[in-house]
């Protein structure tokens, strides 16, 4: 039996008052993040929203590098999203990291390659993973540390990108140790020289990118 024709008027349709703002914020988040799979990312977005968790959203649109002809997967903005979502845990289960990685539509093979750089097991030390992610972005230890400063800083966008010296020391020593070609004495000399230059125990990229600092490799 066919359903009767139904007439609707404005008085019959109840629009939740919060819906317009939810959709507006969602649209702005999608534009900033530019997910490769909008449906997959949207499911993660609303799941986090309903649970009161940090959203999988970039702080700003990332423009592709001029020489970038293909999608490289992880970007500084996406790594910062992961940091915002997971860093408070200290150590993260690999399964949870895999889920957050998938939510951002990142290639599974890239995560596997990063995890393969250290023997993490089922749990991942977050700051070590961040360091490895930055090395994937940067290619060299110096470039990786520059990315780390820009991701971890509390300075406003375009500021000096300062981070605590203790955090910098941990990241540098970890990456240098994994490199295998940098001796313990070279690591200690570089950090001692850098500490003499920094102010208020805060490091910024210009401190270790100048000619007075021993090369970090």
């Amino acid at each position: 039996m066919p359903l009767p024709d139904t007439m609707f008027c404005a008085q019959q349709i109840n629009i939740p008052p919060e819906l317009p703002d939810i959709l507006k914020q969602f649209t702005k988040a999608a534009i900033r993040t530019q997910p490769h799979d909008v449906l997959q990312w949207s499911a993660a977005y609303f799941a986090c929203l309903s649970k009161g968790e940090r959203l999988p959203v970039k702080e700003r649109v990332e423009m592709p590098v001029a020489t970038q002809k293909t999608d490289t997967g992880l970007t500084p903005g996406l790594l910062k999203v992961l940091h915002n979502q997971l860093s408070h845990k200290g150590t993260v289960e690999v399964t949870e990291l895999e889920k957050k990685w998938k939510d951002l539509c990142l290639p599974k093979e890239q995560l596997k390659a990063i995890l393969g750089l250290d023997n993490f097991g089922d749990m991942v030390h977050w700051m070590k993973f961040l360091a490895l992610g930055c090395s994937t972005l940067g290619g060299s230890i110096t470039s990786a540390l520059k990315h780390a400063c820009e991701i971890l800083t509390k300075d406003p966008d375009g500021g000096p990108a300062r981070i605590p010296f203790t955090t910098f020391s941990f990241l540098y020593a970890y990456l240098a140790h994994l490199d295998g070609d940098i001796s313990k004495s070279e690591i200690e000399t570089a950090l001692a020289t850098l500490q003499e230059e920094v102010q208020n125990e805060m490091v910024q990229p210009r401190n270790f990118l100048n000619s007075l600092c021993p090369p970090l490799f």
Side-chain angles (χ1 to χ4, degrees):
M1 179 178 178
L3 294 174
D5 292 336
T6 304
M7 299 296 292
F8 291 100
C9 64
Q11 290 75 17
Q12 291 175 296
I13 302 174
N14 179 31
I15 300 177
E18 65 272 19
L19 181 60
D21 186 60
I22 289 175
L23 294 179
K24 178 181 179 181
Q25 296 305 321
F26 164 74
T27 302
K28 291 167 64 177
I31 292 172
R32 288 202 306 274
T33 307
Q34 298 285 302
H36 295 297
D37 187 330
V38 176
L39 290 178
Q40 178 176 302
W41 175 84
S42 299
Y45 176 93
F46 285 109
C48 289
L49 186 64
S50 67
K51 297 174 184 176
E53 299 176 352
R54 292 296 294 262
L55 300 173
V57 178
K58 291 181 183 178
E59 295 180 355
R60 63 191 63 84
V61 176
E62 287 184 288
M63 301 303 294
V65 180
T67 56
Q68 182 177 317
K69 297 182 179 179
T70 58
D71 173 36
T72 57
L74 188 65
T75 66
L78 292 175
L79 185 54
K80 187 165 186 175
V81 171
L82 290 169
H83 178 73
N84 290 338
Q85 290 183 311
L86 298 172
S87 61
H88 67 282
K89 294 177 178 289
T91 57
V92 184
E93 293 185 7
V94 170
T95 53
E96 183 176 7
L97 175 56
E98 289 174 340
K99 182 182 182 306
K100 296 298 186 185
W101 190 271
K102 182 179 179 181
D103 288 345
L104 293 173
C105 312
L106 290 167
K108 181 170 57 177
E109 296 76 15
Q110 190 176 36
L111 175 60
K112 183 178 179 180
I114 294 174
L115 292 174
L117 297 173
D118 200 349
N119 185 26
F120 287 114
D122 295 330
M123 300 295 294
V124 175
H125 185 290
W126 176 253
M127 290 302 290
K128 290 182 178 181
F129 181 85
L130 177 73
L132 295 176
C134 289
S135 69
T136 299
L137 297 172
S140 68
I141 292 181
T142 302
S143 296
L145 291 169
K146 181 177 182 293
H147 281 300
C149 287
E150 292 167 349
I151 290 171
L152 295 173
T153 188
K154 296 185 183 301
D155 291 328
D157 187 35
R162 296 166 297 179
I163 65 173
F165 181 79
T166 52
T167 301
F168 178 90
S169 299
F170 174 84
L171 295 172
Y172 171 57
Y174 174 67
L175 290 175
H177 174 72
L178 285 184
D179 180 89
D181 293 330
I182 307 174
S183 68
K184 183 178 180 180
S185 61
E186 287 175 319
I187 295 172
E188 292 174 347
T189 298
L191 289 175
T193 303
L194 184 61
Q195 189 168 28
E196 291 177 358
E197 181 182 342
V198 301
Q199 298 179 349
N200 301 320
E201 293 296 310
M202 300 291 284
V203 180
Q204 55 185 297
R206 74 175 183 83
N207 294 136
F208 57 86
L209 293 176
N210 67 55
S211 59
L212 298 179
C213 179
L216 301 178
F217 304 92

